[in-house]
């Protein structure tokens, strides 16, 4: 590995750790090339997620940025100057993980890079669509569509990465449910924070219990998805976020807000025991 590649690898893993300690744990445990592919894909999608969730950017700006990034990823994602021009007016507001999107693309192994760019482009376009709608979910069909764009696509992308790595093939519908279940738990956990931004992902008339039922249904399908995986490193990766999602559901039902650090370590240890 060259000095440049080593430096980029270090930067990528440091930014990953800073943006998501939850996903850093399972990603860091993957074999080297698979680790780079999954870390790069996470960072690319986190880059656009930070645009969608930015507390200060206007909705019009978010829509424009997300659409511009989507077009960039569908065109020439290696041309850093193009992306710099897109981000230039907002470079003081956007976080490092977003501004360095081209770095994460370069960090991704070249043979799977087009797949990561394609899925990130689709996600960015979907996020732009929902930003333009003001993220107001009216029906369960709306919720399914939103969670497909921001999480179900992650499951589909991972399926392609698994196949690229060692030939592992998994059910696409279950892969979507895996992502959707994790996202539903995030919606439950962040309900109050979302409300401060006038964002509501609960379908009209839904209660906390209704969203919990939706989350549990998808997590149940995610359990089936994980149970069908036989590749040890992929199984280990999938089990950790899923176990943490189930654990978060349990603590929320008991009246707590989130898992403690001790709870997280205990759940992770239990999830990977025997693998």
């Amino acid at each position: 590995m060259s000095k440049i590649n080593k430096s980029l690898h270090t930067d990528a893993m440091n930014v990953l750790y800073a943006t998501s300690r939850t996903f850093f744990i399972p990603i860091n445990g993957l074999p080297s090339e698979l680790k780079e592919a999954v870390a790069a894909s996470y960072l690319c999608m986190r880059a656009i997620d930070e645009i969608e969730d930015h507390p200060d950017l206007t909705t019009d700006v978010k829509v424009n940025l997300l659409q511009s990034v989507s077009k960039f990823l569908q065109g020439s994602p290696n041309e850093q100057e193009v992306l710099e021009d897109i981000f230039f007016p907002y470079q003081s507001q956007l976080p490092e993980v977003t501004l360095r999107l081209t770095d994460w693309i370069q960090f991704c192994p070249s043979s799977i890079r087009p797949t990561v760019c394609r899925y990130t482009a689709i996600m960015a376009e979907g996020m732009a669509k929902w930003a333009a709608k003001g993220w107001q979910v009216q029906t369960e069909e709306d919720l399914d569509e939103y969670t497909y764009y921001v999480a179900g696509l992650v499951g589909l992308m991972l399926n392609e990465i698994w196949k690229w790595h060692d030939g592992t093939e998994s059910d696409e519908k279950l892969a979507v449910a895996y992502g959707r279940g994790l996202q539903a738990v995030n919606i439950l956990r962040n309900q109050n924070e979302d409300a401060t931004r006038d964002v509501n992902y609960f379908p009209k008339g839904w209660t906390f219990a209704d969203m919990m039922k939706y989350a549990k249904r998808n997590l149940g399908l995610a359990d089936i998805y994980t149970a069908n995986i036989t590749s040890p490193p992929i199984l280990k990766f999938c089990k950790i976020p899923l176990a943490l999602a189930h654990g978060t559901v349990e603590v929320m039902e008991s009246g707590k807000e989130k898992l403690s650090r001790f709870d997280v370590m205990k759940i992770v240890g239990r999830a990977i025991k025997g693998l």
Side-chain angles (χ1 to χ4, degrees), residues 19 67 72 94 97 104-105 114-116 128 142 144-145 147 153 160 167 173 218 220 223 232 240 243 257-258 269:
T19 53
Q67 289 177 338
F72 166 77
L94 294 171
V97 68
W104 317 141
I105 293 168
T115 297
V116 173
D142 287 343
D144 276 343
E145 181 183 299
T147 54
L153 283 170
E160 293 202 32
K173 289 184 179 179
N218 281 289
D223 287 332
I240 293 173
E257 290 187 6
K258 61 181 182 179

Side-chain angles (χ1 to χ4, degrees), residues 28-85:
N28 197 45
L30 292 170
S32 59
E33 193 175 41
L34 182 58
K35 180 197 295 188
E36 291 175 357
V38 178
S41 63
Y42 176 88
L43 290 168
C44 286
M45 291 186 163
R46 184 60 183 257
I48 60 172
D49 186 60
E50 290 287 348
I51 297 173
E52 184 199 20
D53 290 340
H54 200 286
D56 299 322
L57 298 177
T58 66
T59 298
D60 287 345
V61 167
K62 291 180 179 183
V63 171
N64 180 59
L65 282 174
L66 288 165
Q67 289 177 338
S68 297
V69 169
S70 181
K71 289 177 183 176
F72 166 77
L73 290 169
Q74 295 173 64
S76 302
N78 294 324
E79 297 179 4
Q80 185 173 350
E81 296 81 5
V82 175
L83 192 67
E84 288 176 352
D85 287 343

Side-chain angles (χ1 to χ4, degrees), residues 117-246:
C117 288
R118 183 175 79 253
Y119 277 103
T120 308
I122 297 170
M123 179 183 283
E125 190 63 36
M127 286 179 170
K129 175 182 178 180
W130 277 93
K133 286 181 167 186
W135 301 277
Q136 298 304 311
V137 171
Q138 299 297 320
T139 65
E140 184 171 351
E141 289 73 24
D142 287 343
L143 178 61
D144 276 343
E145 181 183 299
Y146 176 74
T147 54
Y148 171 79
Y149 277 122
V150 300
L153 283 170
V154 179
L156 293 177
M157 180 190 63
L158 288 174
N159 262 17
E160 293 202 32
I161 293 176
W162 306 152
K163 187 174 181 179
W164 162 82
H165 172 65
D166 63 7
T168 292
E169 297 202 40
S170 300
D171 185 277
E172 289 189 353
K173 289 184 179 179
L174 294 178
V176 170
Y178 180 92
R180 187 172 273 151
L182 300 187
Q183 185 64 27
V185 173
N186 285 339
I187 289 172
L188 285 162
R189 190 164 51 87
N190 298 328
Q191 181 185 9
N192 293 334
E193 180 183 332
D194 290 334
T196 64
R197 300 184 292 122
D198 294 323
V199 172
N200 181 19
Y201 298 114
F202 281 52
K204 191 173 182 180
W206 272 33
T207 63
F208 189 87
D210 293 322
M211 185 63 81
M212 183 66 78
K213 184 177 179 181
Y214 178 87
K216 286 183 174 181
R217 182 169 74 248
N218 281 289
L219 290 178
L221 294 172
D223 287 332
I224 299 171
Y225 173 77
T226 304
N228 289 332
I229 294 173
T230 57
S231 173
I234 295 172
L235 177 60
K236 182 178 179 180
F237 172 86
C238 291
K239 286 189 75 172
I240 293 173
L242 183 56
L244 290 171
H246 279 297

